[in-house]
Amino acid sequence: KILVLGSSGQIGTDLVDSLREAYGNDNVIASDLKAPSAERLAQGPFEQLDALDDKKVFEVIKKHGINQVYHLVAMLSATAEKMPLRGWDLNMRSLFNFLELAREGHISKMYWPSSIAAFGPNTPVEATPQYTVMDPGTVYGISKLAGELWCDYYHKKYGCDLRGLRYPGLISWKTEPGGGTTDYAVDIFHKAAKGEDYHCFLSENRRLPMMYMPDAIKATIGIMEAPAEQVKIRTSYNVGAFSFTPRELSALIEKEVPGFQTFYDAVDSRDAIAAGWPQSIDDQRAKQDWGWQPDFSLEAMVKDMLANLKA
Ligand code: VAH
């Protein structure tokens, strides 16, 4: 049985759908702070759960006979900058609750993601290597780097089967844009689909590595299903797909939505966060170790996003 923590989030929403398709609705227990829509509730088991409530967490694990956990609970980069200590506490204490469950043998395998936010201003920005300088300058990035190292520690010291990916910015249509710095690339599609212009909070040439959600889900389930001996890196793997600037993305959208325009009159503090992140990722190790390979090109993503948002 699988428990998805943060099932109403950007990744969690798509991940629950894909896991239920692969393993059957009743084998995937969704959980989040608040219940989803009635339609989503009807799909399969849901538990209202605060990942910081270790007593309730243990109850849910026992009640459903959970043996695998996908931990997608985190306060994202821009939001955590507004409340640093709450961001650190949520991101780390929720992780420790589950590391301890793994150490005590209550769960056999856990997925906990890192992010390109774990890199920082002194990290090489082009084809950022798997092993390199990592000096994250945001609460979120610091928590992701620390979490990577704790997962590696619990694997080495206690033999826990922990796996993770350094997600680039993720683009999807099933949930509204969240508190992420990369969420401009989600919001822009919502505006274009409504025939509105977009006022971008990143500067027009801010290049970032990005990935379409179906590929992020493929990588997530892919690393969790890989034989343990193939998962040689237990901090988190670099994974990439494509990179673009707001200007390049806007031009591709304009081709599909004539007259669509993006204005760069709303650039804010999130641009400085993005300036400290890589522009492209070297994910050779994921490709070599467990056969990672993205499916969507940038152009295919643009078309699929608009097709789903215009529907
Ligand atoms: C954020 N979407 O912007 C997340 C992600 C790399 C960015 O971690 O905070």
Side-chain angles (χ1 to χ4, degrees), residues 184-185 188 198 200-208 210 244-253 260 262-264 271:
Y184 88 87
I188 192 168
Y198 181 56
C200 190
F201 57 72
L202 295 191
S203 49
E204 62 186 295
N205 297 318
R206 186 65 65 206
R207 184 173 304 283
L208 287 170
M210 298 276 191
F244 53 74
T245 65
R247 167 176 287 286
E248 289 163 350
L249 179 61
S250 183
L252 287 171
I253 292 174
F260 171 72
T262 297
F263 296 94
Y264 301 93
D271 195 47

Short mmCIF file of all heavy atoms in Angstrom, two decimals, residues 184-185 188 198 200-208 210 244-253 260 262-264 271:
data_model
loop_
_atom_site.label_atom_id
_atom_site.label_comp_id
_atom_site.label_asym_id
_atom_site.label_seq_id
_atom_site.Cartn_x
_atom_site.Cartn_y
_atom_site.Cartn_z
N TYR A 184 5.74 30.90 -12.62
CA TYR A 184 5.34 31.84 -13.71
C TYR A 184 5.03 31.03 -14.96
O TYR A 184 4.15 31.38 -15.75
CB TYR A 184 6.48 32.84 -13.99
CG TYR A 184 7.48 32.35 -15.02
CD1 TYR A 184 7.27 32.57 -16.38
CD2 TYR A 184 8.63 31.65 -14.64
CE1 TYR A 184 8.16 32.09 -17.34
CE2 TYR A 184 9.52 31.17 -15.58
CZ TYR A 184 9.29 31.39 -16.93
OH TYR A 184 10.17 30.92 -17.87
N ALA A 185 5.74 29.88 -15.12
CA ALA A 185 5.61 29.07 -16.33
C ALA A 185 4.33 28.25 -16.32
O ALA A 185 3.98 27.62 -17.31
CB ALA A 185 6.82 28.15 -16.48
N ILE A 188 1.42 31.58 -16.80
CA ILE A 188 1.38 32.16 -18.14
C ILE A 188 0.39 31.40 -19.05
O ILE A 188 -0.32 32.01 -19.85
CB ILE A 188 2.81 32.19 -18.75
CG1 ILE A 188 2.86 33.05 -20.01
CG2 ILE A 188 3.30 30.78 -19.04
CD1 ILE A 188 4.29 33.34 -20.49
N TYR A 198 0.04 38.34 -20.05
CA TYR A 198 0.67 37.87 -18.82
C TYR A 198 1.72 38.90 -18.37
O TYR A 198 2.50 39.40 -19.19
CB TYR A 198 1.34 36.51 -19.02
CG TYR A 198 1.98 36.00 -17.74
CD1 TYR A 198 1.23 35.86 -16.57
CD2 TYR A 198 3.34 35.72 -17.68
CE1 TYR A 198 1.82 35.44 -15.38
CE2 TYR A 198 3.94 35.29 -16.51
CZ TYR A 198 3.18 35.16 -15.35
OH TYR A 198 3.75 34.76 -14.18
N CYS A 200 4.90 39.10 -16.19
CA CYS A 200 5.84 38.10 -15.66
C CYS A 200 6.66 38.63 -14.49
O CYS A 200 7.13 39.77 -14.53
CB CYS A 200 6.78 37.67 -16.79
SG CYS A 200 7.80 36.25 -16.35
N PHE A 201 6.84 37.77 -13.43
CA PHE A 201 7.61 38.23 -12.26
C PHE A 201 9.08 37.85 -12.36
O PHE A 201 9.86 38.12 -11.46
CB PHE A 201 6.98 37.75 -10.95
CG PHE A 201 6.81 36.26 -10.81
CD1 PHE A 201 7.90 35.41 -10.61
CD2 PHE A 201 5.54 35.69 -10.88
CE1 PHE A 201 7.75 34.05 -10.47
CE2 PHE A 201 5.37 34.31 -10.73
CZ PHE A 201 6.48 33.49 -10.54
N LEU A 202 9.46 37.19 -13.47
CA LEU A 202 10.89 36.97 -13.72
C LEU A 202 11.30 37.81 -14.93
O LEU A 202 10.46 38.14 -15.78
CB LEU A 202 11.18 35.49 -14.02
CG LEU A 202 10.93 34.47 -12.92
CD1 LEU A 202 11.52 33.13 -13.32
CD2 LEU A 202 11.52 34.91 -11.58
N SER A 203 12.58 38.13 -15.02
CA SER A 203 13.04 38.95 -16.16
C SER A 203 13.04 38.09 -17.42
O SER A 203 13.13 36.86 -17.35
CB SER A 203 14.43 39.52 -15.87
OG SER A 203 15.30 38.50 -15.43
N GLU A 204 12.97 38.76 -18.58
CA GLU A 204 12.66 38.06 -19.83
C GLU A 204 13.74 37.06 -20.24
O GLU A 204 13.44 36.10 -20.93
CB GLU A 204 12.41 39.07 -20.95
CG GLU A 204 13.57 39.96 -21.31
CD GLU A 204 13.15 41.01 -22.33
OE1 GLU A 204 12.81 40.64 -23.47
OE2 GLU A 204 13.14 42.19 -21.96
N ASN A 205 14.98 37.26 -19.80
CA ASN A 205 16.04 36.33 -20.21
C ASN A 205 16.48 35.38 -19.10
O ASN A 205 17.57 34.81 -19.16
CB ASN A 205 17.25 37.13 -20.73
CG ASN A 205 16.85 37.93 -21.96
OD1 ASN A 205 16.13 37.42 -22.83
ND2 ASN A 205 17.22 39.20 -21.99
N ARG A 206 15.63 35.20 -18.10
CA ARG A 206 15.96 34.33 -16.95
C ARG A 206 15.77 32.87 -17.37
O ARG A 206 14.68 32.34 -17.32
CB ARG A 206 15.08 34.68 -15.76
CG ARG A 206 15.43 33.95 -14.48
CD ARG A 206 16.79 34.29 -13.94
NE ARG A 206 16.88 35.70 -13.52
CZ ARG A 206 18.02 36.39 -13.48
NH1 ARG A 206 19.15 35.83 -13.89
NH2 ARG A 206 18.05 37.65 -13.09
N ARG A 207 16.87 32.23 -17.75
CA ARG A 207 16.78 30.85 -18.25
C ARG A 207 16.76 29.86 -17.08
O ARG A 207 17.60 29.96 -16.18
CB ARG A 207 17.97 30.53 -19.17
CG ARG A 207 17.90 29.14 -19.81
CD ARG A 207 19.01 28.91 -20.83
NE ARG A 207 18.99 29.94 -21.87
CZ ARG A 207 18.12 29.98 -22.87
NH1 ARG A 207 17.18 29.04 -22.97
NH2 ARG A 207 18.15 30.95 -23.77
N LEU A 208 15.80 28.94 -17.10
CA LEU A 208 15.70 27.94 -16.03
C LEU A 208 15.44 26.56 -16.63
O LEU A 208 14.77 26.45 -17.67
CB LEU A 208 14.56 28.29 -15.07
CG LEU A 208 14.79 29.47 -14.12
CD1 LEU A 208 13.49 29.85 -13.41
CD2 LEU A 208 15.88 29.16 -13.10
N MET A 210 13.42 23.23 -16.86
CA MET A 210 12.00 22.94 -16.60
C MET A 210 11.66 21.54 -17.11
O MET A 210 12.43 20.92 -17.85
CB MET A 210 11.12 23.96 -17.36
CG MET A 210 11.32 25.40 -16.93
SD MET A 210 10.33 25.77 -15.49
CE MET A 210 10.53 27.57 -15.46
N PHE A 244 14.27 27.09 -20.77
CA PHE A 244 13.81 28.21 -21.59
C PHE A 244 13.79 29.49 -20.74
O PHE A 244 13.83 29.45 -19.51
CB PHE A 244 12.42 27.94 -22.19
CG PHE A 244 11.37 27.55 -21.20
CD1 PHE A 244 10.79 28.50 -20.34
CD2 PHE A 244 10.93 26.23 -21.11
CE1 PHE A 244 9.81 28.13 -19.42
CE2 PHE A 244 9.93 25.86 -20.20
CZ PHE A 244 9.37 26.81 -19.35
N THR A 245 13.69 30.62 -21.45
CA THR A 245 13.51 31.91 -20.78
C THR A 245 12.04 32.30 -20.92
O THR A 245 11.35 31.78 -21.82
CB THR A 245 14.36 32.99 -21.48
OG1 THR A 245 13.84 33.17 -22.82
CG2 THR A 245 15.83 32.60 -21.54
N PRO A 246 11.55 33.23 -20.09
CA PRO A 246 10.17 33.69 -20.25
C PRO A 246 9.90 34.20 -21.67
O PRO A 246 8.85 33.90 -22.25
CB PRO A 246 10.06 34.80 -19.21
CG PRO A 246 11.00 34.40 -18.14
CD PRO A 246 12.17 33.80 -18.86
N ARG A 247 10.86 34.87 -22.25
CA ARG A 247 10.65 35.39 -23.63
C ARG A 247 10.46 34.24 -24.62
O ARG A 247 9.55 34.27 -25.45
CB ARG A 247 11.85 36.26 -24.04
CG ARG A 247 11.90 36.59 -25.53
CD ARG A 247 13.03 37.53 -25.88
NE ARG A 247 12.74 38.89 -25.42
CZ ARG A 247 11.86 39.69 -26.03
NH1 ARG A 247 11.19 39.25 -27.07
NH2 ARG A 247 11.64 40.91 -25.58
N GLU A 248 11.30 33.21 -24.50
CA GLU A 248 11.20 32.07 -25.43
C GLU A 248 9.86 31.35 -25.25
O GLU A 248 9.18 30.98 -26.21
CB GLU A 248 12.36 31.09 -25.19
CG GLU A 248 13.70 31.62 -25.66
CD GLU A 248 14.89 30.87 -25.06
OE1 GLU A 248 14.67 30.05 -24.13
OE2 GLU A 248 16.03 31.11 -25.50
N LEU A 249 9.44 31.17 -23.99
CA LEU A 249 8.17 30.48 -23.73
C LEU A 249 7.01 31.31 -24.28
O LEU A 249 6.11 30.79 -24.95
CB LEU A 249 7.99 30.25 -22.23
CG LEU A 249 6.68 29.55 -21.82
CD1 LEU A 249 6.58 28.16 -22.45
CD2 LEU A 249 6.58 29.47 -20.30
N SER A 250 7.07 32.63 -24.04
CA SER A 250 5.99 33.50 -24.51
C SER A 250 5.87 33.45 -26.03
O SER A 250 4.76 33.40 -26.58
CB SER A 250 6.28 34.94 -24.05
OG SER A 250 5.22 35.78 -24.42
N ALA A 251 7.00 33.38 -26.72
CA ALA A 251 6.97 33.34 -28.19
C ALA A 251 6.31 32.05 -28.68
O ALA A 251 5.52 32.07 -29.64
CB ALA A 251 8.40 33.44 -28.75
N LEU A 252 6.59 30.94 -27.99
CA LEU A 252 5.98 29.65 -28.38
C LEU A 252 4.47 29.68 -28.13
O LEU A 252 3.69 29.15 -28.92
CB LEU A 252 6.62 28.50 -27.61
CG LEU A 252 8.05 28.13 -28.04
CD1 LEU A 252 8.67 27.14 -27.06
CD2 LEU A 252 8.04 27.55 -29.45
N ILE A 253 4.05 30.33 -27.05
CA ILE A 253 2.61 30.42 -26.74
C ILE A 253 1.92 31.32 -27.76
O ILE A 253 0.84 31.00 -28.28
CB ILE A 253 2.39 30.95 -25.31
CG1 ILE A 253 2.88 29.92 -24.29
CG2 ILE A 253 0.90 31.27 -25.07
CD1 ILE A 253 2.85 30.41 -22.84
N PHE A 260 -1.32 36.97 -28.14
CA PHE A 260 -0.91 36.85 -26.73
C PHE A 260 0.37 37.65 -26.50
O PHE A 260 1.28 37.62 -27.32
CB PHE A 260 -0.67 35.38 -26.36
CG PHE A 260 -0.05 35.20 -25.00
CD1 PHE A 260 -0.80 35.43 -23.85
CD2 PHE A 260 1.29 34.86 -24.86
CE1 PHE A 260 -0.23 35.29 -22.59
CE2 PHE A 260 1.87 34.73 -23.62
CZ PHE A 260 1.11 34.95 -22.47
N THR A 262 3.34 38.96 -23.37
CA THR A 262 3.87 38.94 -22.00
C THR A 262 4.56 40.28 -21.75
O THR A 262 5.33 40.76 -22.59
CB THR A 262 4.88 37.79 -21.83
OG1 THR A 262 4.18 36.56 -22.02
CG2 THR A 262 5.48 37.79 -20.42
N PHE A 263 4.30 40.85 -20.59
CA PHE A 263 4.97 42.10 -20.19
C PHE A 263 5.90 41.80 -19.02
O PHE A 263 5.59 40.98 -18.16
CB PHE A 263 3.92 43.14 -19.79
CG PHE A 263 3.03 43.54 -20.94
CD1 PHE A 263 1.81 42.90 -21.14
CD2 PHE A 263 3.44 44.51 -21.84
CE1 PHE A 263 1.00 43.24 -22.22
CE2 PHE A 263 2.63 44.86 -22.92
CZ PHE A 263 1.40 44.22 -23.11
N TYR A 264 7.06 42.46 -19.00
CA TYR A 264 8.05 42.22 -17.92
C TYR A 264 8.07 43.42 -16.98
O TYR A 264 9.11 43.92 -16.61
CB TYR A 264 9.41 41.92 -18.55
CG TYR A 264 9.30 40.71 -19.46
CD1 TYR A 264 9.03 40.86 -20.82
CD2 TYR A 264 9.32 39.42 -18.93
CE1 TYR A 264 8.85 39.75 -21.64
CE2 TYR A 264 9.14 38.31 -19.74
CZ TYR A 264 8.89 38.48 -21.10
OH TYR A 264 8.69 37.39 -21.90
N ASP A 271 12.90 36.94 -9.00
CA ASP A 271 13.91 36.93 -10.07
C ASP A 271 15.30 36.71 -9.48
O ASP A 271 16.14 36.02 -10.05
CB ASP A 271 13.86 38.25 -10.86
CG ASP A 271 14.62 38.14 -12.18
OD1 ASP A 271 14.41 37.13 -12.90
OD2 ASP A 271 15.45 39.02 -12.45
#
